[in-house]
Amino acid sequence: MKLTFLILIIGVLSVLMRVIPGVLTRKANLPLSIRLAMPYVPITLFTAMITCDIFFWEEDFSLNPLVNLKLIASLLAIIVAYRTKDLIKTVLAGVLTISLLYFIF
């Protein structure tokens, strides 16, 4: 019972942390330059989080796609991101590709 309550509280807090900034910025009168830049924030954050991980394979820098399988998955994810402009589809394409590559190799 305690664990279920804890999981519920953490879930609610996680949702609120994502919803509250969106609600607050909708009502705020932001300058045009900031409003034009807002659509680029999610992909910029996503890129910053994964860039270092992509180029390192087993703690070594590797640009060889035959050694570093993450390069293949990231290339496919970049193509999906460019075509769909959807972060969830991009993440799914990358995760499914790297899973399939790990399974094959």
Side-chain angles (χ1 to χ4, degrees):
M1 182 67 179
K2 290 181 184 179
L3 183 60
T4 305
F5 184 68
L6 179 65
I7 291 172
L8 183 64
I9 293 294
I10 291 172
V12 168
L13 289 175
S14 177
V15 169
L16 286 177
M17 286 173 35
R18 294 175 183 180
V19 170
I20 290 174
V23 170
L24 293 176
T25 56
R26 282 187 186 159
K27 294 182 180 180
N29 189 11
L30 299 172
L32 179 62
S33 59
I34 292 177
R35 284 185 290 176
L36 291 175
M38 292 299 276
Y40 298 103
V41 170
I43 195 66
T44 304
L45 292 174
F46 178 67
T47 303
M49 290 187 316
I50 65 166
T51 300
C52 289
D53 186 54
I54 290 173
F55 295 110
F56 285 89
W57 181 261
E58 297 176 356
E59 300 182 12
D60 292 325
F61 182 77
S62 176
L63 291 176
N64 184 355
L66 298 175
V67 174
N68 187 352
L69 299 177
K70 292 183 281 185
L71 292 174
I72 299 169
S74 63
L75 180 63
L76 182 65
I78 289 169
I79 293 169
V80 170
Y82 181 75
R83 290 204 162 190
T84 65
K85 309 281 192 281
D86 187 359
L87 186 59
I88 293 174
K89 290 177 185 174
T90 303
V91 171
L92 283 175
V95 169
L96 292 175
T97 304
I98 197 70
S99 300
L100 183 64
L101 289 172
Y102 273 138
F103 182 72
I104 292 172
F105 294 103

